């Protein structure tokens, strides 16, 4: 307290000296450590009183850091306050986590106000291990959800408010903070809520996290001018979280259908001809990522080692058929067929058709099907003028010749 008072008194009278800034920074971390030790280690004061005092200390440090523009208060004071439970050897309980919540909010506010991106990132890293360890110890569901919501909200708020003198650096910082916060909240939340109510709470939490991030990217608040690149980053984070939630809640053919349908939906969005190159790139990445997921699911359901034997079960056949249909539909809806990435999507679709033929048929039926596919591709190449079907046609011809020679 004496250090804090001396620093506040010295700063306006002696000019903006580093001594006064360091005094306030050391006093902030020291006061947090004192409150935690007094309440959690020695039991001298009530936990509620310690939390209230921590709020006052954090508010004072935030005001001084933003008004003075002193990085030492953020680095020594606020980050030291977040690390103080570890430094004094206090047990992590509800009161300690409440103080971490207060300190994390002060650090995030200061980082947004002064554009100190390093402060927001470091505060997430310091806090995550402590409140995550406390939640893994077994807490009521409502307490788990409240804690997860608070700390993930701090990360999202920091990503929305992240700025820098260079736009690229600001976008990179927002992407790093948003991804780190979402990953920490998603992993800890899924781990903690996995055994609650049959495991459904984990999927619900991930889906809610995905919806919030996607909504933050789609709906731009009027009072907060969020740059377009940062909004795209938040939409991508929401999409990844939704895919993880879907992957945990579904299985088998449902996964292939869901990911394939999402790829087709992205292709339909691409057809609307976005005005910004970044939006178009985001849609293309969405198509490619979900086709890759559907492809992985198809290879799991129908491994290459099963080819050449008796026809496989219905689930594996449908999985490959869904992959082929989603690829060909995406290639048709995506736009100009001369684009390299559209040809790549069509290539995967044609390869899936050939894979499906080899999987479902054997003997003369397989040879006949490959011959018909080659004839159909030849007709498409003739009418469209596109050379890509000719390449696929030649591959079909080689497949037919190989099958005939083997027999």
């Amino acid at each position: 307290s004496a250090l804090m008072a001396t620093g506040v008194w010295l700063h306006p009278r002696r000019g903006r000296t580093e001594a006064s800034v360091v005094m306030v920074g050391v006093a902030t971390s020291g006061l947090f450590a004192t409150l935690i030790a007094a309440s959690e280690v020695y039991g001298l004061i009530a936990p509620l009183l310690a939390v209230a005092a921590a709020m006052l200390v954090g508010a004072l440090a935030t005001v001084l850091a933003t008004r003075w523009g002193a990085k030492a208060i953020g680095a020594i004071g606020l980050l030291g306050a977040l690390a103080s439970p570890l430094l004094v050897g206090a047990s992590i309980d509800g009161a300690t986590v409440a103080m971490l919540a207060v300190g994390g909010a002060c650090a995030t506010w200061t980082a947004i106000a002064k554009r100190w991106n390093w402060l927001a990132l470091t505060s997430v890293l310091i806090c995550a291990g402590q409140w995550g360890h406390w939640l893994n110890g077994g807490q009521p569901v409502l307490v788990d959800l409240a804690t997860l919501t608070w700390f993930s909200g701090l990360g999202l708020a920091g990503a929305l408010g992240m700025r820098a003198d260079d736009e690229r650096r600001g976008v990179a910082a927002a992407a790093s903070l948003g991804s780190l916060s979402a990953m920490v909240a998603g992993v800890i939340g899924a781990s903690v809520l996995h055994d609650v109510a049959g495991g459904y709470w984990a999927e619900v939490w991930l889906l809610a996290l995905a919806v919030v991030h996607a909504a933050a990217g789609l709906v731009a608040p009027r009072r907060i001018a969020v740059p377009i690149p940062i909004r795209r980053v938040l939409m991508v984070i929401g999409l990844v979280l939704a895919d993880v939630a879907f992957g945990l809640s579904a299985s088998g053919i449902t996964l292939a259908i869901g990911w394939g349908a999402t790829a087709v939906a992205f292709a339909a969005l691409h057809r609307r001809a976005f005005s910004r190159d970044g939006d178009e790139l985001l849609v293309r990445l969405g198509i490619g990522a979900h086709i890759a997921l559907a492809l992985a699911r198809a290879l799991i359901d129908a491994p290459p080692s099963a080819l050449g034997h008796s026809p496989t079960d219905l689930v594996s056949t449908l999985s490959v058929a869904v992959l082929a249909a989603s690829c060909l539909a995406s290639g048709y809806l995506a736009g100009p067929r001369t684009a390299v990435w559209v040809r790549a999507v069509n290539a995967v679709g044609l390869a899936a058709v050939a894979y499906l033929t080899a999987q479902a048929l054997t003997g003369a039926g397989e040879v006949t099907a490959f011959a018909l596919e080659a004839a159909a591709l030849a007709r498409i190449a003739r009418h469209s003028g596109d050379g890509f079907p000719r390449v696929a046609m030649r591959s079909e011809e080689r497949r037919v010749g190989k099958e005939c020679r083997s027999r």
Side-chain angles (χ1 to χ4, degrees), residues 302-390:
S305 59
L307 296 179
H309 303 289
S310 59
T312 54
D313 60 301
L314 181 61
V315 173
S316 59
T317 303
L318 288 177
S319 182
V320 180
V322 167
L323 172 64
S326 60
C327 289
L328 296 177
S330 299
Y332 176 77
L333 294 174
R337 296 183 179 86
T338 57
V340 176
W341 71 275
V342 175
R343 291 186 176 187
V345 172
N346 287 327
V348 177
L350 293 174
V353 172
Y355 196 91
L356 179 63
T357 304
Q359 177 196 21
L361 300 174
T362 56
E366 182 181 4
V367 175
T368 304
F370 277 123
L372 292 175
E373 291 170 10
L377 289 171
R379 188 173 181 83
I380 293 173
R382 179 180 179 183
H383 287 280
S384 64
D386 188 0
F388 177 74
R390 299 174 187 173

Side-chain angles (χ1 to χ4, degrees), residues 70-81 116 118-119:
K71 294 184 178 180
I73 298 179
I76 301 176
L78 295 176
L79 294 182
W116 294 343
W118 54 270
L119 180 59

